[in-house]
Amino acid sequence: MTDGPTRVSGDLIIRDAHVLDPASGLDGIADVRLSDGRVAEVGENLRGTRRLDADGLHLFPGFVDVHAHWRTPGREDEETIETGSAAAAAGGFTSVVMMPNTDPIVDRPVVVSGLVRRVERESRVRAYVSAALHEGLEGERLTEMRLLKEAGAFCVSDDGLGTQSAGVLRNAMLYAKSAGLPVILHCEDHTLATGVVHDGVAAALAGMPGSPGSAEDVATATALVLATETGARVHVTHVSTALSAALVGFFKGRGDITADTTPHHLTLTDDLVGTLEGLYRVNPPLRPDADRLDVGKALKDGILDFVATDHAPHASEEKELPLEEAAPGFLGHETAFSALYTELVAKPGGRLSLSRLVETMACTPGRWVKGGAYGISPGAPADLTLVDLSEQWTVRAEALVSRSSNSPYLGRRLEGRVVGTMVGGELVYDGMGARFGARV
Ligand code: DOR
């Protein structure tokens, strides 16, 4: 799906939703009129040709996920553009950035242009292609970033792997800057990351080889120093340690630097290593509670800019294994909002406001992707998410929309649920039942 307006016939009124949009300062019951795929008006008693009764629901700007693995091309048994985008829509995401660690790797213009065309045909949501920073994600030869951009790449990343040579990374940043492409960095030093879980008490008790937090921190520090020096637009993804979050805070404002963390690093800890289940292997690994709390505080305080899911589907034969043998990665799209709302907002003493959660899932990543204000305002594309905060649900493998089922929340009861997602005014996910009506 592209950024062009999606035509819908007549005007749709979303009636009586609690409209919450930190970007435009909306926080109250209102009607929203959509016309020609865009927001036309926000007000009271609006009139149109169709209506959607959103009484009791919250309406947010559509969520934006800058980190997803849709496994196309190459591992369509795990996810496709169709199933990945359907899972994204079910989680309230209206825009997604697809990572390039596919087979073939997205390191040539022909792969980029092929993906761009497939996205237009197959994706339910807007999807942006990240090309590789290095050929084969090998951290040696830079990709032809200018040609990748011409072919439709939105950004560059070697996600899944860290870049081991600071000199090579510096050149990559300079080249990406000259090509006008943002760089998304997975910060991991492979000489330190030799284990399969976080190197801490839980790993010791489980007898698991651990990777220290320094594996992330050393690489994050290198990336931030080089981002500051080169002036490249650098986004550090899936920050999971207290020290890396603090480093982002130190370097913020000294360069064109942004950073995200994931729902799982904000809600789960390395205690799960004690299960010995491969389901809980992820990279960067789940950390101790002290890291989780500091990373959450950094998100609350705006040091970390937004949340991204790192949606990483894996086949059951790659996850239903002992931890040491399992592939790293968690599903993320379908549970992101509910997991964060349950753990950080709704829990007594919750540490995040609903408004900040919406900002970090929609407004800030939206601004990062679209390059301008992102919210519910007249003229903006009608990319919207409807949520029922009163709904409670249990995460079940068989009910997931994704082609895979490796959610770390399986069996958990979550609060708040996405019930509707609109892209360009078109309903791409409908979990609402009969709420549509004729003319108002
Ligand atoms: O756990 C992870 N899985 N981390 C990554 O960085 C890559 C991802 C994947 O592609 O499976």
Side-chain angles (χ1 to χ4, degrees), residues 237-240 259-263 265-266 295 299 304 306-309:
T237 193
H238 50 46
V239 171
S240 72
D260 73 66
T261 185
T262 70
H265 289 109
L266 290 163
V295 168
L299 184 73
L304 298 179
F306 52 81
V307 169
T309 70

Side-chain angles (χ1 to χ4, degrees), residues 16 75 77 81 85 104 120 150 164 184 189 191 204 236 251-252 254 321 330 363-364 372 402 407 414 416 432 438:
D16 289 336
R75 286 304 303 266
D77 60 313
I81 293 173
S85 68
E120 280 167 9
E150 270 172 38
Q164 300 314 301
I184 297 183
D189 183 309
T191 64
V236 178
F251 283 94
K252 229 17 183 341
R254 290 167 201 252
L321 292 170
F330 294 161
C363 307
T364 328
S402 168
S407 166
L414 301 180
M432 288 180 287

Side-chain angles (χ1 to χ4, degrees), residues 21-23 61-62 64 66 233 235 252 258-259 299 302 304-307 355-375:
D21 172 22
V64 176
V66 305
R233 189 172 165 213
H235 179 75
K252 229 17 183 341
T258 49
L299 184 73
L304 298 179
D305 299 270
F306 52 81
V307 169
S355 167
R356 178 68 185 146
L357 179 57
V358 172
E359 198 167 58
T360 60
M361 290 192 70
C363 307
T364 328
R367 200 161 59 233
W368 192 84
V369 170
K370 317 282 174 182
Y374 181 84

Side-chain angles (χ1 to χ4, degrees), residues 69 71 101 159-160 186 238 282-283 310 312 314 328-329:
H69 301 268
R71 304 297 188 221
N101 59 341
D159 183 64
H186 167 124
H238 50 46
V282 68
N283 203 11
D310 196 0
H314 283 290

Side-chain angles (χ1 to χ4, degrees), residues 197-208 269-276 286-288:
V197 295
H198 174 79
D199 187 21
V201 175
L205 288 173
M208 285 287 153
T269 63
D270 65 345
D271 292 355
L272 288 166
V273 167
T275 64
L276 307 182
L286 296 175
R287 305 290 186 186

Side-chain angles (χ1 to χ4, degrees), residues 71-76 100-106:
R71 304 297 188 221
T72 299
R75 286 304 303 266
E76 287 82 356
N101 59 341
T102 49
D103 183 11
I105 288 162
V106 189

